[in-house]
């Protein structure tokens, strides 16, 4: 059903997504108006699909998106594609901008994606039923997500998706007063790639498919305090020290509550120089804390 003039998305696992305009369609080929940037290998499950951001901003400052409802109209019964990319709202290289008072639902990929920007604010939004993740911050600096709800994300897709709020390779972010619930994988996820600094505080992460919050791959100097991790299928907090050449170091996990989780309150897999103090672990499946290896 592709036609000249259509905008199409190109995705492949581990690659940055891009969008192209169709110039001409043949029997078994498509020519685009501009050359395709990047490599999209079929071995990495590359897909050419007719979905794209409803709001996109690139390399601008002082944008405010306020008071809208966005419905991606994605059929949740579909499982045609195994990977996703992009967001219904996507900011690339955007600074000092705000997304607030929004409802975002049925995204065929991610609900909100901020990448390569700084000093941005996501506030008082609801993201639900995204096929990928709810809210993603990738290589952002000094940005904030607060007073928001991200739920029921990651269905009809592989287990590599489905976080309520995911952060990758970012610095000094504030993630506060959010609710992440009923997501397929983690409620809150520090995806790593040298995530440095910042604070995750006063969040409630509950009823998620694996962990309430998950550390992963080289997180440094992050403070996790005053959160509640409840009724998650595996654990309250997991993955601390799980991977990377340096693992997780100099982080603080203090004054959190982990209760009613399926297996344990907190899992420590390695890392070093982390502080874990003042937490309340109660009524978890088999044990309050599990420690694997040095830490």
């Amino acid at each position: 059903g592709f036609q000249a003039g259509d905008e199409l998305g190109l995705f492949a696992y581990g690659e940055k997504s891009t969008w192209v305009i169709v110039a001409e369609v043949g029997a078994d080929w498509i020519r685009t108006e501009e050359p395709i940037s990047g490599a999209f290998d079929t071995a990495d499950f590359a897909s050419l699909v007719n979905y794209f951001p409803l709001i996109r901003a690139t390399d601008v400052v002082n944008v405010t998106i306020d008071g809208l409802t966005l419905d991606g109209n994605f059929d949740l019964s579909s499982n045609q594609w195994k990977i996703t990319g992009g967001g219904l709202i996507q900011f690339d290289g955007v600074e000092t901008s705000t997304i607030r008072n929004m409802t975002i639902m049925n995204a065929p990929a991610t609900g909100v994606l901020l990448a390569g920007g700084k000093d941005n604010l996501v506030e008082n939004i609801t993201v639900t039923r995204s096929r990928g993740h709810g809210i993603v911050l990738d290589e952002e600096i000094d940005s904030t997500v607060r007073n928001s709800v991200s739920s029921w994300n990651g269905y009809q897709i592989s287990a590599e998706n489905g976080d309520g709020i995911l952060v990758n390779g970012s610095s000094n972010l504030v993630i506060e007063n959010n609710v992440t619930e009923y997501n397929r994988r983690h409620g809150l996820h520090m995806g790593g790639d040298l995530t440095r600094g910042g604070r995750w505080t006063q969040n409630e992460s509950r009823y998620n498919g694996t962990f309430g919050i998950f550390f992963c791959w080289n997180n440094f100097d992050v403070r996790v305090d005053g959160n509640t991790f409840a009724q998650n299928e595996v654990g309250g907090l997991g993955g601390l020290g799980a991977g990377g050449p340096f693992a997780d170091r100099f982080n603080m996990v203090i004054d959190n509550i982990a209760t009613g989780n399926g297996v344990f309150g907190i899992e420590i897999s390695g890392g070093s120089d982390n502080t874990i103090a003042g937490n309340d672990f109660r009524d978890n499946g088999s044990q309050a804390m599990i420690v694997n290896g040095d830490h």
Side-chain angles (χ1 to χ4, degrees):
F2 299 147
Q3 301 179 48
D6 284 350
E7 184 173 31
L8 303 180
L10 277 160
F11 306 104
Y13 187 80
E15 300 295 331
K16 186 176 180 180
S17 55
T18 191
W19 287 269
V20 296
I21 303 295
V22 177
E24 186 179 2
V25 179
D28 57 0
W29 52 267
I30 292 174
R31 182 171 63 84
T32 61
E33 289 187 355
E34 301 291 338
I36 294 170
S37 175
F40 297 88
D41 196 328
T42 54
D44 293 325
F45 305 101
S47 298
L48 177 66
V49 296
N50 58 345
Y51 62 81
F52 46 86
L54 296 181
I55 297 175
R56 187 190 313 161
T58 303
D59 298 328
V60 295
V61 298
N62 300 326
V63 174
T64 297
I65 311 296
D66 192 341
L68 298 179
T69 295
L70 300 182
D71 189 342
N73 197 30
F74 180 71
D75 180 1
L76 289 179
S77 68
S78 172
N79 60 0
Q80 179 178 357
W81 304 304
K82 300 303 181 186
I83 59 167
T84 63
L88 277 190
I89 299 178
Q90 178 152 339
F91 283 3
D92 292 298
V94 173
E95 301 181 11
T96 58
S97 294
T98 299
I99 301 168
R100 65 185 175 207
N101 303 326
M102 304 279 293
T103 298
I104 299 143
M105 64 184 76
N106 299 326
T110 292
V112 175
L113 173 59
L114 275 61
K118 65 180 181 180
D119 297 314
N120 296 304
L121 172 64
V122 177
E123 179 179 46
N124 192 33
I125 72 169
T126 296
V127 181
T128 187
R129 299 192 304 273
S130 293
R131 185 169 166 266
H133 306 298
I135 301 169
V136 176
L137 284 75
D138 184 26
E139 298 185 356
E140 283 281 305
I141 299 172
D142 298 330
S143 294
T144 297
V145 180
R146 68 186 181 205
N147 302 331
S148 295
V149 177
S150 186
S151 63
W152 296 103
N153 300 298
Y155 290 87
Q156 281 71 46
I157 191 62
S158 74
E160 294 302 312
N161 283 271
D163 298 331
I165 300 174
L166 168 64
V167 168
N168 283 312
S170 300
S171 300
N172 299 320
L173 303 186
V174 176
I175 312 296
E176 64 178 354
N177 294 315
N178 302 290
V179 174
T180 53
E181 60 185 2
Y182 299 107
N183 297 290
R184 177 170 179 172
R185 190 169 62 173
H186 312 308
L188 303 166
H189 187 187
M190 277 173 266
D193 295 329
L194 295 176
T195 295
R196 301 169 300 279
R199 188 176 184 189
W200 302 57
T201 183
Q202 302 299 318
N203 301 289
E204 185 165 358
S205 190
R206 61 199 184 196
Y207 304 111
N208 297 291
T210 49
F211 293 91
I213 187 169
F214 193 78
F215 277 79
C216 180
W217 204 266
N218 295 340
N219 295 286
F220 295 90
D221 194 30
V222 178
R223 181 184 178 101
V224 177
D225 68 283
N227 303 282
T228 298
F229 310 121
Q231 305 294 328
N232 298 287
E233 289 190 21
V234 179
L237 184 149
L240 187 63
F246 305 104
D248 300 309
R249 304 183 66 180
F250 310 113
N251 302 289
M252 299 184 69
V253 179
I254 58 175
D255 299 331
N256 301 285
I257 297 172
T259 182
N261 298 290
V263 181
F264 45 74
I266 182 171
E267 176 193 36
I268 304 169
S269 302
S272 63
D273 303 297
N274 298 299
T275 299
I276 301 168
N279 300 285
D280 183 356
F281 303 135
R282 66 177 95 150
D283 301 324
N284 296 290
S286 62
Q287 49 196 321
M289 179 183 293
I290 182 170
V291 180
N292 299 312
D294 296 333
H295 66 280

